[in-house]
Amino acid sequence: MSTQGSLFGETLSRPLADRMRPSDISEIVGQEDLLGVGAPLRRMIDSGKLSSFILWGPPGCGKTTLARILATKTQMRFVALSAVFSGVADLRKAFEEAEKYRSCGEGTLLFIDEIHRFNRAQQDGFLPYVENGTVTLVGATTENPSFELNSALLSRCKVFVLKPLSCDALEKLIVRAEELQKRKLPVDDGARQLLLQLADGDGRYFINLLETVYDLTGMHETLNSETLLKVVQKRSPVYDKDREGHYNLISALHKSLRGSDTDAALYWAARMIEGGEDPKYLLRRLTRFASEDVGLADPMALQLAIAAWESYERLGSPEGELAIAELIVYLGTAPKSNAIETAWIAAKKSAKEFSSLTPPAHIINAPTRLMKELGYGKDYIYDHDTPEGFSGQNYFPEKMGRKQFYRPVERGFEREIRRRLDYWNSLREKKQNAEK
């Protein structure tokens, strides 16, 4: 029986990720801004006095590993819970045990993975135990803490931002893997670069890729880019339509278009589509952009936005996605103006400020005898009866005075609109001066 156990013990080996897991802070790669000499988190660690904090970063950047090392380095009891699998009962038990150990002089580092998944009430439950020092809370989240965590909890915790692993950091992981496997990574230079790209900054995923390459290649085999893709599974884009990534990418798309960088805009749009975004959401935002950032600098922009929307609804994916790409290129290369948006905001502000004023009597219709007797419609000039087709009369409330909301820019078609407005304004001034 013991022989059989020994046989299985020799046959089964620990996963590469487990063997490569850092046991000291010096072995953590890619987070020098936090853990380098003199860096903020390193200072806290070296002082031996940990306060509660939140680790915010993408998957596979080392949040859990860092928390475990901190507990060991500070000689604290380590308790790990996941907000995905734990509830109120688990938290209560953790707090009760922490209080017992605290009475014996031992501190508890409570690590909560995916802490943003706890609801507001559960997050509030941490507050008294964090405040009185029963636990030192280390929360890990892939979401922006500003949006996902209670302000009360955030006020009691520092936030440290971890970055995706750079190519240099991933190269260090390759070196470690080669040392453990006792042979070079069996890929050529092109495949090596492709591996770095496939990882997308996720160290855990990258190590799994390395293990797959080692396991599925012979001792004298070297993979190129083409054969590598046959061995490893291409990763799905990291994108969550309901969380921060969604808003980050649409913001990047919008600002790229506003900055007339068509290629960048195409990239961000493609990222969203590949990540599973509803193309109709993109079209809705692009149509808004046509009005908000292009406006009358190019009146065709809004028409093309509606046409692209209709084209996609008729064709669907993938054919209809070309209409989206066409719209993005048009919007990116179009002259830009937010004069319409600015005018509308100013007009709404005045509408609130002068909300009870009536129109001047001469532009109010007078369908009844009483209204005529009250002066409604009196002295109204029918513009088409004038030589210029322009009467120059006042159309604002008398107590409000004339306002200028719309100020077209000297770009695109708005340059022509500005010329027209200048013409009407000069006529208005002439007529007003003639009346004096």
Side-chain angles (χ1 to χ4, degrees):
M1 188 74 175
S2 59
T3 304
Q4 187 178 18
S6 175
L7 177 63
F8 280 112
E10 294 174 359
T11 304
L12 299 177
S13 62
R14 290 161 56 205
L16 182 61
D18 186 42
R19 288 183 285 149
M20 288 184 62
R21 183 171 289 113
S23 58
D24 187 77
I25 288 176
S26 61
E27 297 176 2
I28 296 178
V29 299
Q31 307 302 336
E32 288 76 13
D33 289 348
L34 291 179
L35 300 174
V37 177
L41 187 51
R42 181 63 175 269
R43 285 178 178 272
M44 185 192 297
I45 297 166
D46 290 343
S47 71
K49 298 178 181 178
L50 289 185
S51 59
S52 295
F53 59 89
I54 303 296
L55 295 173
W56 172 28
C61 65
K63 297 186 291 295
T64 305
T65 297
L66 176 57
R68 288 185 179 277
I69 293 175
L70 292 180
T72 302
K73 194 169 182 65
T74 55
Q75 297 182 334
M76 298 179 74
R77 175 173 161 268
F78 183 78
V79 177
L81 295 176
S82 169
V84 177
F85 302 109
S86 305
V88 175
D90 300 293
L91 289 174
R92 186 179 294 116
K93 180 181 178 182
F95 293 139
E96 290 174 353
E97 290 181 349
E99 287 177 330
K100 292 178 182 178
Y101 278 92
R102 186 189 182 198
S103 64
C104 298
E106 185 175 357
T108 297
L109 190 152
L110 177 61
F111 176 71
I112 305 293
D113 196 18
E114 302 289 337
I115 191 171
H116 62 274
R117 294 186 181 272
F118 277 136
N119 61 37
R120 300 287 174 175
Q122 289 171 318
Q123 290 179 30
D124 284 340
F126 288 107
L127 299 179
Y129 302 99
V130 170
E131 285 181 336
N132 65 20
T134 300
V135 298
T136 297
L137 174 66
V138 176
T141 178
T142 55
E143 299 299 325
N144 190 329
S146 300
F147 304 137
E148 302 296 335
L149 299 183
N150 284 1
S151 57
L153 183 59
L154 275 179
S155 68
R156 293 161 175 82
C157 298
K158 295 180 180 179
V159 176
F160 294 112
V161 182
L162 280 73
K163 299 177 180 178
L165 299 192
S166 65
C167 287
D168 287 342
L170 294 175
E171 285 282 4
K172 292 177 182 178
L173 294 181
I174 293 179
V175 172
R176 290 186 191 173
E178 290 175 335
E179 292 173 353
L180 288 172
Q181 296 295 113
K182 293 182 172 49
R183 65 174 175 133
K184 291 289 185 181
L185 186 66
V187 297
D188 65 16
D189 291 341
R192 191 185 188 96
Q193 290 302 313
L194 180 57
L195 271 175
L196 296 175
Q197 294 173 17
L198 290 173
D200 199 22
D202 186 333
R204 181 171 54 243
Y205 177 72
F206 185 64
I207 293 172
N208 290 337
L209 283 179
L210 298 181
E211 186 169 35
T212 300
V213 170
Y214 275 118
D215 289 347
L216 300 182
T217 54
M219 289 297 295
H220 303 291
E221 185 180 4
T222 300
L223 302 179
N224 58 29
S225 297
E226 184 178 350
T227 53
L228 173 68
L229 288 176
K230 293 179 181 179
V231 171
V232 302
Q233 184 176 6
K234 189 176 180 181
R235 186 183 192 189
S236 299
V238 178
Y239 180 69
D240 193 330
K241 294 185 290 181
D242 299 322
R243 296 191 177 275
E244 190 197 11
H246 164 83
Y247 299 105
N248 287 348
L249 264 60
I250 194 62
S251 176
L253 169 61
H254 197 121
K255 289 180 173 64
S256 298
L257 285 175
R258 185 180 290 154
S260 299
D261 193 331
T262 304
D263 292 320
L266 286 169
Y267 167 73
W268 294 120
R271 278 274 303 273
M272 297 182 77
I273 294 292
E274 288 297 305
E277 182 60 74
D278 183 357
K280 293 181 181 178
Y281 170 78
L282 271 183
L283 286 161
R284 185 163 63 249
R285 291 297 298 255
L286 292 171
T287 301
R288 170 188 167 183
F289 183 91
S291 296
E292 178 182 341
D293 285 276
V294 176
L296 288 176
D298 187 344
M300 278 296 297
L302 184 57
Q303 297 180 46
L304 189 62
I306 299 301
W309 200 332
E310 291 179 349
S311 295
Y312 182 81
E313 287 186 334
R314 293 188 181 193
L315 296 174
S317 289
E319 293 87 349
E321 292 171 10
L322 288 178
I324 299 176
E326 181 180 346
L327 174 59
I328 288 172
V329 171
Y330 192 92
L331 294 177
T333 55
K336 309 297 189 297
S337 171
N338 71 337
I340 292 295
E341 181 192 23
T342 302
W344 183 237
I345 292 172
K348 290 200 294 184
K349 181 180 178 182
S350 287
K352 292 179 180 178
E353 185 178 355
F354 303 100
S355 61
S356 59
L357 298 181
T358 59
H362 66 273
I363 64 171
I364 300 178
N365 290 334
T368 68
R369 180 184 298 177
L370 175 61
M371 295 176 74
K372 289 180 181 179
E373 292 174 353
L374 292 174
Y376 288 10
K378 184 181 179 181
D379 298 328
Y380 171 67
I381 301 173
Y382 188 55
D383 290 80
H384 294 295
D385 288 342
T386 65
E388 303 91 350
F390 179 77
S391 67
Q393 287 190 296
N394 176 49
Y395 299 99
F396 279 91
E398 294 177 1
K399 294 182 179 180
M400 178 177 171
R402 180 165 188 80
K403 302 285 185 181
Q404 183 179 2
F405 302 126
Y406 178 49
R407 301 176 185 271
V409 299
E410 284 285 347
R411 292 189 294 275
F413 185 69
E414 282 201 327
R415 184 183 294 111
E416 171 62 20
I417 295 176
R418 187 166 193 162
R419 188 186 67 79
R420 296 178 189 180
L421 288 176
D422 289 343
Y423 171 71
W424 300 130
N425 287 333
S426 64
L427 274 182
R428 183 179 292 109
E429 289 179 8
K430 288 180 181 179
K431 290 179 178 293
Q432 290 173 349
N433 290 334
E435 291 175 358
K436 294 178 182 178

Short mmCIF file of all heavy atoms in Angstrom, two decimals, residues 70-109:
data_model
loop_
_atom_site.label_atom_id
_atom_site.label_comp_id
_atom_site.label_asym_id
_atom_site.label_seq_id
_atom_site.Cartn_x
_atom_site.Cartn_y
_atom_site.Cartn_z
N LEU A 70 2.49 39.19 3.18
CA LEU A 70 2.41 40.21 4.21
C LEU A 70 2.10 39.60 5.57
O LEU A 70 2.67 39.99 6.59
CB LEU A 70 1.34 41.24 3.85
CG LEU A 70 1.62 42.14 2.64
CD1 LEU A 70 0.47 43.10 2.42
CD2 LEU A 70 2.92 42.90 2.84
N ALA A 71 1.18 38.64 5.58
CA ALA A 71 0.81 38.00 6.84
C ALA A 71 2.01 37.27 7.45
O ALA A 71 2.26 37.33 8.66
CB ALA A 71 -0.34 37.03 6.61
N THR A 72 2.77 36.59 6.59
CA THR A 72 3.95 35.87 7.07
C THR A 72 5.02 36.82 7.58
O THR A 72 5.61 36.62 8.65
CB THR A 72 4.53 35.00 5.94
OG1 THR A 72 3.52 34.10 5.48
CG2 THR A 72 5.74 34.22 6.41
N LYS A 73 5.25 37.89 6.82
CA LYS A 73 6.32 38.82 7.16
C LYS A 73 6.02 39.58 8.45
O LYS A 73 6.93 39.93 9.19
CB LYS A 73 6.52 39.80 6.00
CG LYS A 73 7.81 40.60 6.09
CD LYS A 73 8.09 41.34 4.80
CE LYS A 73 9.41 42.09 4.87
NZ LYS A 73 10.56 41.19 5.00
N THR A 74 4.75 39.84 8.70
CA THR A 74 4.37 40.58 9.92
C THR A 74 3.95 39.65 11.05
O THR A 74 3.48 40.11 12.09
CB THR A 74 3.21 41.55 9.61
OG1 THR A 74 2.12 40.82 9.03
CG2 THR A 74 3.65 42.63 8.64
N GLN A 75 4.09 38.32 10.82
CA GLN A 75 3.76 37.30 11.82
C GLN A 75 2.31 37.43 12.30
O GLN A 75 2.02 37.31 13.49
CB GLN A 75 4.73 37.40 13.01
CG GLN A 75 6.17 37.12 12.62
CD GLN A 75 7.12 37.16 13.79
OE1 GLN A 75 6.86 37.84 14.79
NE2 GLN A 75 8.23 36.43 13.70
N MET A 76 1.44 37.64 11.35
CA MET A 76 0.01 37.72 11.66
C MET A 76 -0.68 36.44 11.20
O MET A 76 -0.22 35.75 10.28
CB MET A 76 -0.64 38.93 10.98
CG MET A 76 -0.09 40.28 11.42
SD MET A 76 -0.88 41.66 10.54
CE MET A 76 -2.48 41.69 11.35
N ARG A 77 -1.75 36.13 11.86
CA ARG A 77 -2.57 35.00 11.46
C ARG A 77 -3.31 35.37 10.16
O ARG A 77 -3.89 36.43 10.05
CB ARG A 77 -3.57 34.71 12.58
CG ARG A 77 -4.60 33.64 12.30
CD ARG A 77 -5.39 33.35 13.57
NE ARG A 77 -6.64 32.67 13.28
CZ ARG A 77 -7.78 33.29 13.08
NH1 ARG A 77 -7.85 34.61 13.18
NH2 ARG A 77 -8.89 32.62 12.82
N PHE A 78 -3.26 34.49 9.18
CA PHE A 78 -3.83 34.78 7.87
C PHE A 78 -5.16 34.04 7.68
O PHE A 78 -5.23 32.82 7.80
CB PHE A 78 -2.86 34.38 6.76
CG PHE A 78 -3.34 34.72 5.37
CD1 PHE A 78 -3.26 36.01 4.88
CD2 PHE A 78 -3.88 33.73 4.56
CE1 PHE A 78 -3.70 36.32 3.61
CE2 PHE A 78 -4.31 34.02 3.27
CZ PHE A 78 -4.22 35.33 2.79
N VAL A 79 -6.22 34.80 7.39
CA VAL A 79 -7.54 34.22 7.10
C VAL A 79 -8.00 34.76 5.76
O VAL A 79 -8.04 35.98 5.56
CB VAL A 79 -8.57 34.58 8.19
CG1 VAL A 79 -9.95 34.02 7.83
CG2 VAL A 79 -8.12 34.07 9.54
N ALA A 80 -8.31 33.86 4.84
CA ALA A 80 -8.73 34.27 3.50
C ALA A 80 -10.17 33.87 3.25
O ALA A 80 -10.57 32.72 3.49
CB ALA A 80 -7.82 33.65 2.45
N LEU A 81 -10.96 34.83 2.76
CA LEU A 81 -12.34 34.57 2.37
C LEU A 81 -12.57 35.16 0.98
O LEU A 81 -11.93 36.13 0.60
CB LEU A 81 -13.33 35.21 3.36
CG LEU A 81 -13.35 34.67 4.79
CD1 LEU A 81 -14.32 35.50 5.63
CD2 LEU A 81 -13.78 33.21 4.82
N SER A 82 -13.49 34.57 0.27
CA SER A 82 -13.89 35.10 -1.03
C SER A 82 -15.32 35.62 -0.94
O SER A 82 -16.20 34.92 -0.45
CB SER A 82 -13.80 34.02 -2.12
OG SER A 82 -14.42 34.47 -3.31
N ALA A 83 -15.52 36.85 -1.41
CA ALA A 83 -16.87 37.42 -1.36
C ALA A 83 -17.83 36.68 -2.28
O ALA A 83 -19.04 36.79 -2.14
CB ALA A 83 -16.81 38.90 -1.75
N VAL A 84 -17.27 35.89 -3.20
CA VAL A 84 -18.12 35.12 -4.11
C VAL A 84 -18.76 33.95 -3.38
O VAL A 84 -19.91 33.60 -3.61
CB VAL A 84 -17.31 34.63 -5.32
CG1 VAL A 84 -18.18 33.76 -6.23
CG2 VAL A 84 -16.72 35.80 -6.09
N PHE A 85 -17.99 33.32 -2.48
CA PHE A 85 -18.45 32.10 -1.83
C PHE A 85 -18.82 32.28 -0.35
O PHE A 85 -19.34 31.36 0.27
CB PHE A 85 -17.38 31.01 -1.93
CG PHE A 85 -16.98 30.69 -3.34
CD1 PHE A 85 -15.74 31.07 -3.83
CD2 PHE A 85 -17.86 30.03 -4.19
CE1 PHE A 85 -15.38 30.79 -5.14
CE2 PHE A 85 -17.50 29.74 -5.50
CZ PHE A 85 -16.26 30.12 -5.97
N SER A 86 -18.53 33.44 0.22
CA SER A 86 -18.75 33.64 1.66
C SER A 86 -19.94 34.55 1.91
O SER A 86 -20.30 35.38 1.08
CB SER A 86 -17.50 34.25 2.30
OG SER A 86 -16.37 33.45 2.04
N GLY A 87 -20.54 34.39 3.09
CA GLY A 87 -21.68 35.21 3.48
C GLY A 87 -21.50 35.77 4.87
O GLY A 87 -20.40 35.75 5.45
N VAL A 88 -22.59 36.25 5.45
CA VAL A 88 -22.56 36.88 6.77
C VAL A 88 -22.06 35.92 7.84
O VAL A 88 -21.28 36.30 8.72
CB VAL A 88 -23.96 37.41 7.13
CG1 VAL A 88 -23.98 37.96 8.55
CG2 VAL A 88 -24.38 38.49 6.15
N ALA A 89 -22.48 34.66 7.76
CA ALA A 89 -22.07 33.67 8.77
C ALA A 89 -20.55 33.48 8.77
O ALA A 89 -19.93 33.37 9.83
CB ALA A 89 -22.78 32.34 8.52
N ASP A 90 -19.96 33.44 7.56
CA ASP A 90 -18.51 33.26 7.46
C ASP A 90 -17.78 34.47 8.05
O ASP A 90 -16.76 34.32 8.73
CB ASP A 90 -18.11 33.08 6.00
CG ASP A 90 -18.78 31.86 5.38
OD1 ASP A 90 -18.46 30.74 5.80
OD2 ASP A 90 -19.61 32.06 4.48
N LEU A 91 -18.31 35.66 7.78
CA LEU A 91 -17.68 36.87 8.31
C LEU A 91 -17.78 36.90 9.83
O LEU A 91 -16.81 37.23 10.53
CB LEU A 91 -18.34 38.11 7.72
CG LEU A 91 -18.07 38.39 6.23
CD1 LEU A 91 -18.92 39.57 5.74
CD2 LEU A 91 -16.60 38.68 6.01
N ARG A 92 -18.95 36.57 10.35
CA ARG A 92 -19.16 36.58 11.80
C ARG A 92 -18.18 35.62 12.48
O ARG A 92 -17.56 35.95 13.51
CB ARG A 92 -20.60 36.21 12.13
CG ARG A 92 -20.93 36.35 13.62
CD ARG A 92 -22.36 35.99 13.91
NE ARG A 92 -23.28 36.93 13.27
CZ ARG A 92 -24.15 36.61 12.32
NH1 ARG A 92 -24.18 35.36 11.87
NH2 ARG A 92 -24.94 37.50 11.79
N LYS A 93 -18.02 34.42 11.90
CA LYS A 93 -17.10 33.44 12.46
C LYS A 93 -15.66 33.97 12.43
O LYS A 93 -14.91 33.81 13.40
CB LYS A 93 -17.20 32.14 11.67
CG LYS A 93 -16.28 31.04 12.19
CD LYS A 93 -16.40 29.78 11.34
CE LYS A 93 -15.43 28.70 11.83
NZ LYS A 93 -15.52 27.48 10.98
N ALA A 94 -15.29 34.60 11.33
CA ALA A 94 -13.93 35.14 11.20
C ALA A 94 -13.67 36.22 12.24
O ALA A 94 -12.59 36.27 12.85
CB ALA A 94 -13.72 35.69 9.80
N PHE A 95 -14.66 37.08 12.47
CA PHE A 95 -14.49 38.16 13.45
C PHE A 95 -14.41 37.61 14.88
O PHE A 95 -13.61 38.06 15.70
CB PHE A 95 -15.64 39.16 13.34
CG PHE A 95 -15.65 39.93 12.04
CD1 PHE A 95 -16.84 40.19 11.38
CD2 PHE A 95 -14.47 40.40 11.49
CE1 PHE A 95 -16.85 40.90 10.20
CE2 PHE A 95 -14.47 41.11 10.31
CZ PHE A 95 -15.67 41.36 9.66
N GLU A 96 -15.26 36.61 15.17
CA GLU A 96 -15.24 36.02 16.52
C GLU A 96 -13.91 35.35 16.81
O GLU A 96 -13.35 35.49 17.91
CB GLU A 96 -16.39 35.00 16.64
CG GLU A 96 -17.77 35.66 16.67
CD GLU A 96 -18.89 34.63 16.65
OE1 GLU A 96 -18.58 33.43 16.48
OE2 GLU A 96 -20.07 35.02 16.79
N GLU A 97 -13.38 34.62 15.83
CA GLU A 97 -12.09 33.95 16.03
C GLU A 97 -10.97 34.98 16.15
O GLU A 97 -10.04 34.81 16.96
CB GLU A 97 -11.81 33.01 14.86
CG GLU A 97 -12.71 31.78 14.84
CD GLU A 97 -12.40 30.86 13.68
OE1 GLU A 97 -11.62 31.28 12.78
OE2 GLU A 97 -12.92 29.73 13.66
N ALA A 98 -11.07 36.06 15.37
CA ALA A 98 -10.04 37.11 15.44
C ALA A 98 -10.01 37.76 16.82
O ALA A 98 -8.94 38.08 17.35
CB ALA A 98 -10.30 38.15 14.37
N GLU A 99 -11.20 37.93 17.40
CA GLU A 99 -11.26 38.53 18.74
C GLU A 99 -10.59 37.61 19.77
O GLU A 99 -9.90 38.08 20.69
CB GLU A 99 -12.72 38.78 19.13
CG GLU A 99 -13.34 39.96 18.38
CD GLU A 99 -14.81 40.16 18.72
OE1 GLU A 99 -15.48 39.14 19.04
OE2 GLU A 99 -15.28 41.31 18.65
N LYS A 100 -10.77 36.29 19.64
CA LYS A 100 -10.14 35.34 20.56
C LYS A 100 -8.62 35.39 20.44
O LYS A 100 -7.90 35.42 21.43
CB LYS A 100 -10.65 33.91 20.27
CG LYS A 100 -12.12 33.71 20.60
CD LYS A 100 -12.54 32.28 20.23
CE LYS A 100 -14.03 32.08 20.50
NZ LYS A 100 -14.48 30.72 20.10
N TYR A 101 -8.13 35.37 19.21
CA TYR A 101 -6.68 35.42 19.01
C TYR A 101 -6.10 36.74 19.46
O TYR A 101 -4.96 36.81 19.95
CB TYR A 101 -6.35 35.17 17.52
CG TYR A 101 -6.34 33.71 17.15
CD1 TYR A 101 -7.49 33.09 16.66
CD2 TYR A 101 -5.19 32.94 17.30
CE1 TYR A 101 -7.50 31.75 16.31
CE2 TYR A 101 -5.19 31.58 16.96
CZ TYR A 101 -6.34 31.00 16.47
OH TYR A 101 -6.34 29.66 16.14
N ARG A 102 -6.88 37.82 19.27
CA ARG A 102 -6.41 39.14 19.69
C ARG A 102 -6.22 39.18 21.20
O ARG A 102 -5.28 39.81 21.72
CB ARG A 102 -7.40 40.20 19.24
CG ARG A 102 -6.91 41.63 19.51
CD ARG A 102 -8.01 42.62 19.24
NE ARG A 102 -7.56 43.99 19.44
CZ ARG A 102 -8.35 45.02 19.61
NH1 ARG A 102 -9.66 44.85 19.63
NH2 ARG A 102 -7.86 46.23 19.78
N SER A 103 -7.13 38.52 21.93
CA SER A 103 -7.01 38.49 23.39
C SER A 103 -5.75 37.76 23.85
O SER A 103 -5.28 37.95 24.97
CB SER A 103 -8.25 37.82 24.01
OG SER A 103 -8.32 36.45 23.62
N CYS A 104 -5.22 36.92 22.94
CA CYS A 104 -3.97 36.20 23.26
C CYS A 104 -2.75 36.91 22.67
O CYS A 104 -1.64 36.37 22.68
CB CYS A 104 -4.04 34.78 22.72
SG CYS A 104 -5.37 33.80 23.45
N GLY A 105 -2.98 38.09 22.10
CA GLY A 105 -1.87 38.89 21.59
C GLY A 105 -1.49 38.61 20.16
O GLY A 105 -0.42 39.05 19.71
N GLU A 106 -2.33 37.87 19.40
CA GLU A 106 -2.01 37.56 18.01
C GLU A 106 -2.98 38.30 17.08
O GLU A 106 -4.20 38.21 17.23
CB GLU A 106 -2.09 36.06 17.76
CG GLU A 106 -1.65 35.68 16.33
CD GLU A 106 -1.61 34.17 16.12
OE1 GLU A 106 -1.86 33.43 17.10
OE2 GLU A 106 -1.31 33.75 15.00
N GLY A 107 -2.42 39.05 16.13
CA GLY A 107 -3.24 39.79 15.19
C GLY A 107 -3.71 38.93 14.04
O GLY A 107 -3.12 37.87 13.74
N THR A 108 -4.77 39.35 13.36
CA THR A 108 -5.34 38.61 12.22
C THR A 108 -5.36 39.50 10.99
O THR A 108 -5.89 40.61 11.02
CB THR A 108 -6.77 38.14 12.52
OG1 THR A 108 -6.75 37.23 13.62
CG2 THR A 108 -7.38 37.45 11.30
N LEU A 109 -4.76 38.99 9.92
CA LEU A 109 -4.88 39.65 8.63
C LEU A 109 -6.02 38.96 7.88
O LEU A 109 -5.90 37.79 7.52
CB LEU A 109 -3.58 39.57 7.83
CG LEU A 109 -3.50 40.41 6.55
CD1 LEU A 109 -2.05 40.79 6.25
CD2 LEU A 109 -4.11 39.70 5.35
#
